[in-house]
Amino acid sequence: MADGSSTVHARALLQQCLHAHLQVRPADGDAAAQWVEIQRGLVIYVCFFKGADKELLPKMVNTLLNVKLSETENGKHVSILDLPGDVLIIPQATLGGRVKGKNMQYHANSGKEEGLELYSQFVSLCEKALAANSKCAEAGVAVAHGTYGNRQVLKLDTNGPYTHLIEF
Amino acid sequence: MADGSSTVHARALLQQCLHAHLQVRPADGDAAAQWVEIQRGLVIYVCFFKGADKELLPKMVNTLLNVKLSETENGKHVSILDLPGDVLIIPQATLGGRVKGKNMQYHANSGKEEGLELYSQFVSLCEKALAANSKCAEAGVAVAHGTYGNRQVLKLDTNGPYTHLIEF
């Protein structure tokens, strides 16, 4: 059995991908939908709970960008910074749901404004971390991210998503 | 903040898809890789922990197949049985990992044999549930599943994965 942590402030789900496309703006009249795309990288779905504080964010960024889950061509596992690879951050408040009967309840989720603020800062800190890493800067890898509050239309191509859950 | 449950025996991650392709047998010499495919359905990634008992499985199946997370053409959310839609079950022991520094540890995961047994029974119960449901039987929807122990090479096309985590 696994022991649950007593207080969860944020939840991150990690998947490894060959390619990922995420819609960041839906089609609107004559305007086509807009997408972002990453190659050979890490997808981070993130959700914040009530009581999550921005003090948590540097620790989250440090853990998620340094955990060794990305596979090299030799089959070794390294961090996304060491691969190096792109990062796609997807706001996924649904990860905060708790099942009750046939429905999910999201009572523990952060409010919309707090969630947006935390999400935006989380993205920004990830961008800074990649920019500050010389290996990443040389390789030209980047952080892409979804638009908070939108439908996260995602297409994912993997060599095994190697899905992991990390709570903070 | 979210309260963690005290004892987790199994973890399921749900995503909604338009199409999903999963490799069930890798290429081998002259033999091409084999894949399964679902259309407009539910992807269930599943992981079992030490101490998980087969008595848990009917409850898991009942919850996961009846939770209202699948979107109809009208934008309503119904269960996968009511949609009705295909189900793709992916063994994902990595979901049992716990981060320690830069590495993940899987100490709480079920043993390989127990995990295979639980996974196989879980798949079988899901197949029975769909076969017993007249709406599903009429629509010809089916359960596909990954090969336990293999690399789960997955390609996913979504209109928003609407990712949810349910623990048992």
Side-chain angles (χ1 to χ4, degrees):
Chain A
M1 66 194 73
D3 289 325
S5 54
S6 52
T7 308
V8 179
H9 292 111
R11 190 167 271 160
L13 190 78
L14 282 67
Q15 290 191 315
Q16 309 299 318
C17 73
L18 297 172
H19 312 278
H21 291 77
L22 180 71
Q23 191 184 86
V24 291
R25 191 166 169 172
D28 183 17
D30 286 342
Q34 290 177 23
W35 298 77
V36 293
E37 178 180 350
I38 66 162
Q39 310 290 337
R40 198 170 170 243
L42 173 64
V43 179
I44 303 175
Y45 307 77
V46 69
C47 165
F48 295 99
F49 293 101
K50 280 192 183 75
D53 191 83
K54 58 179 166 66
E55 314 278 303
L56 186 66
L57 300 176
K59 180 188 174 186
M60 284 179 69
V61 172
N62 187 54
T63 296
L64 297 173
L65 299 185
N66 285 288
V67 67
K68 296 183 192 172
L69 297 176
S70 296
E71 192 178 7
T72 64
E73 280 154 6
N74 303 328
K76 258 184 64 175
H77 286 100
V78 300
S79 71
I80 191 63
L81 294 177
D82 279 340
L83 192 64
D86 288 336
V87 178
L88 175 62
I89 302 171
I90 305 180
Q92 197 87 155
T94 50
L95 273 176
R98 205 177 164 101
V99 69
K100 187 167 179 177
K102 296 185 178 186
N103 295 297
M104 297 300 294
Q105 294 182 338
Y106 306 94
H107 299 326
N109 278 42
S110 71
K112 205 169 177 182
E113 283 178 24
E114 292 84 358
L116 170 60
E117 183 61 26
L118 288 164
Y119 172 73
S120 305
Q121 288 196 36
F122 176 74
V123 168
S124 175
L125 286 173
C126 287
E127 288 170 340
K128 290 187 170 111
L130 258 74
N133 181 290
S134 52
K135 200 170 178 182
C136 289
E138 271 179 51
V141 293
V143 175
H145 68 279
T147 306
Y148 187 87
N150 280 15
R151 176 187 290 265
Q152 305 300 326
V153 180
L154 173 71
K155 301 178 196 304
L156 197 62
D157 186 17
T158 82
N159 192 30
Y162 207 56
T163 316
H164 285 84
L165 176 73
I166 302 182
E167 297 182 326
F168 300 89
Chain B
M1 67 194 70
D3 290 324
S5 55
S6 52
T7 307
V8 179
H9 293 113
R11 191 168 270 161
L13 190 78
L14 282 67
Q15 290 192 315
Q16 309 298 319
C17 74
L18 298 172
H19 312 278
H21 292 76
L22 181 72
Q23 193 184 84
V24 291
R25 191 167 168 172
D28 184 17
D30 286 342
Q34 292 177 21
W35 298 76
V36 293
E37 177 179 350
I38 66 163
Q39 310 290 337
R40 197 168 171 244
L42 174 64
V43 179
I44 303 175
Y45 306 78
V46 70
C47 165
F48 295 99
F49 293 101
K50 281 192 184 75
D53 191 84
K54 57 179 167 66
E55 313 279 304
L56 187 65
L57 301 177
K59 180 189 174 187
M60 283 179 71
V61 172
N62 187 54
T63 297
L64 298 173
L65 298 186
N66 285 288
V67 67
K68 296 181 191 174
L69 296 176
S70 296
E71 192 178 6
T72 65
E73 280 154 7
N74 303 329
K76 258 184 66 177
H77 288 101
V78 300
S79 72
I80 191 62
L81 294 177
D82 279 340
L83 193 63
D86 288 337
V87 178
L88 175 62
I89 303 171
I90 305 180
Q92 198 88 155
T94 50
L95 272 176
R98 205 178 167 100
V99 69
K100 188 167 181 177
K102 296 187 178 186
N103 296 298
M104 297 301 293
Q105 294 182 338
Y106 307 95
H107 300 327
N109 277 43
S110 71
K112 204 168 176 183
E113 283 178 23
E114 292 85 356
L116 170 59
E117 183 60 26
L118 288 163
Y119 172 72
S120 304
Q121 288 196 37
F122 176 74
V123 168
S124 175
L125 287 174
C126 287
E127 289 170 338
K128 290 187 171 109
L130 259 73
N133 181 291
S134 52
K135 200 171 179 184
C136 289
E138 271 179 52
V141 293
V143 175
H145 69 278
T147 306
Y148 187 87
N150 279 15
R151 177 186 290 265
Q152 306 299 326
V153 180
L154 173 70
K155 299 175 196 308
L156 197 62
D157 186 17
T158 81
N159 191 31
Y162 207 55
T163 316
H164 285 84
L165 176 72
I166 302 182
E167 297 182 326
F168 299 89

